Each structure stands twice: as C-alpha cells, then as structure tokens.
Amino acid sequence: MFTGLVETLGRVLAVKPESPAARLVVNSGAIANGAQIGDSIAINGCCLTVVAIQSDSLEFQAGPETLSRTNLGRLSPDAAVNLEQSLKMGDRLGGHLVTGHVDGLGVLIERQDQQDWSTYWFSAAETIMRQIAAKGSVAVDGVSLTVVDAIADRFSVALIPHTLAVTTLGQLKVGDRVNLETDLLAKYVARQLGYGDR
C-alpha cells in the first residue's frame, strides 16, 4: 500500500528488453540507500518489485501486462519518474490509500496555468470515470490528488506550486498519458452497483 505522496523524483537510466518484458534501471536517490531486494516501490503509481540494487540505482522488471496498461512502456532513458516506498504499519497516511495497481491510462487534454498554480483536465475511459467523483481522491502518476470536477469522460484537478515542482506533473504537456488509479472504496461501490448487470 502507498499514500500517493511522492518521496522523490527518480531518473530512468536504462530500459533493457527482456522479452516479453523489460527491466527498468532507475536512479532512485535516497530511496536506494535503504532499499532491499524484494521491496515494493511505486514508479509513477505502479507497484514494482526491486530485483537488483547498484549504488543509488534500483532495478525493476515490468511484465507485458504492466507495459501495455501503464505509461511505463513508454519510458526512455533520462525520463523523470515519481517514486514512493510502500507504507509500513503505523506510518502516517497523508494522502489516501493507493494500491499501486493502475486502473488505466488518462490523457492530459487541457492545462490552465495561473501564475504558479495549475488546473489540469484529464480524459479517461468510461469504466474509470464511473469511479471518479468531485471531491473524491484519484492517483495520477502516483500522486494523490483531490478531484475538482468530474463529468462524462473527463475530470479536473487543481495543482499547488509544490506538487508541480516536486513531481513529474509539472512537466506534463497536453497529449501526455498518465497512470490513473481510482479510489479503493469507489471500486467496491462500483462493483456492488453493477453486480446485478452480470
């Protein structure tokens, strides 16, 4: 489990093909110092397992499902990524409960910048939008955010200067794809409401 509070920005050093998967090598800064093989780390909100450690870089294996359903398959060397270590029992929960299981991709369709603040609009599939509500929570590339508005096929979030500065969200351009994870409780509510349809 994660909180959606990004601890540091990592930098992709290499993407090594391991057919049908890939190995990601990420310069992880201070996170690498205390990491161990087998630890769970969220990369852009996607939970991956540390499989090797070299100084301040961590290595992860991403399978075909992960590469096709998240934006990790589009990463290239020198790309910035959001990193968060998994929660320990008793840790403070400052964001919201995030599993690291990406529900799908969203697309930044509008960016409204007002001095150091920004409002972003993302489009998403109907199945994802059913689980997004105004004033609810959503994780965008692993960043815990509060939804401002949610309509048929899109939702908006307001980003403070700090979030824009310390996560990859500040670098996003219209047309960029992001990983989306809806609120954990919303998944169960949606499942129960749609149970009679099957």
Side-chain angles (χ1 to χ4, degrees):
M1 296 296 289
F2 303 90
T3 66
L5 300 182
V6 172
E7 293 178 68
T8 190
L9 281 176
R11 186 72 53 183
V12 176
L13 299 176
V15 180
K16 301 177 180 179
E18 289 184 345
S19 184
R23 180 178 292 246
L24 302 176
V25 183
V26 180
N27 183 309
S28 308
I31 284 182
N33 295 336
Q36 298 181 12
I37 303 296
D39 281 357
S40 293
I41 307 282
I43 301 178
N44 282 355
C46 182
C47 179
L48 294 180
T49 301
V50 177
V51 296
I53 302 171
Q54 299 291 332
S55 183
D56 58 355
S57 69
L58 300 176
E59 297 186 20
F60 308 86
Q61 290 172 306
E65 176 81 359
T66 298
L67 296 174
S68 66
R69 289 185 173 265
T70 73
N71 63 13
L72 300 190
R74 295 173 175 83
L75 291 177
S76 58
D78 205 40
V81 289
N82 297 319
L83 299 177
E84 181 190 353
Q85 298 175 94
S86 58
L87 278 168
K88 296 180 180 68
M89 194 63 75
D91 280 354
R92 180 175 295 181
L93 183 62
H96 72 281
L97 289 175
V98 177
T99 64
H101 303 156
V102 174
D103 294 305
L105 290 168
V107 178
L108 179 62
I109 56 173
E110 185 177 353
R111 175 174 175 158
Q112 302 166 350
D113 295 318
Q114 297 148 341
Q115 296 179 345
D116 294 334
W117 300 68
S118 295
T119 298
Y120 286 5
W121 280 91
F122 294 98
S123 65
E126 180 187 354
T127 52
I128 292 175
M129 288 306 304
R130 283 187 208 149
Q131 299 172 18
I132 295 180
K135 310 309 177 220
S137 297
V138 65
V140 176
D141 270 355
V143 182
S144 174
L145 299 171
T146 300
V147 176
V148 176
D149 287 308
I151 54 180
D153 61 349
R154 65 193 65 188
F155 69 93
S156 65
V157 293
L159 301 175
I160 64 173
H162 176 77
T163 301
L164 292 166
V166 303
T167 74
T168 60
L169 300 188
Q171 304 168 28
L172 290 180
K173 299 179 292 296
V174 170
D176 285 347
R177 294 176 179 267
V178 293
N179 295 328
L180 298 177
E181 182 184 333
T182 62
D183 184 73
L184 190 58
L185 294 177
K187 290 179 174 60
Y188 288 104
V189 171
R191 172 70 173 159
Q192 289 303 311
L193 291 175
Y195 200 81
D197 298 338
R198 297 195 170 93

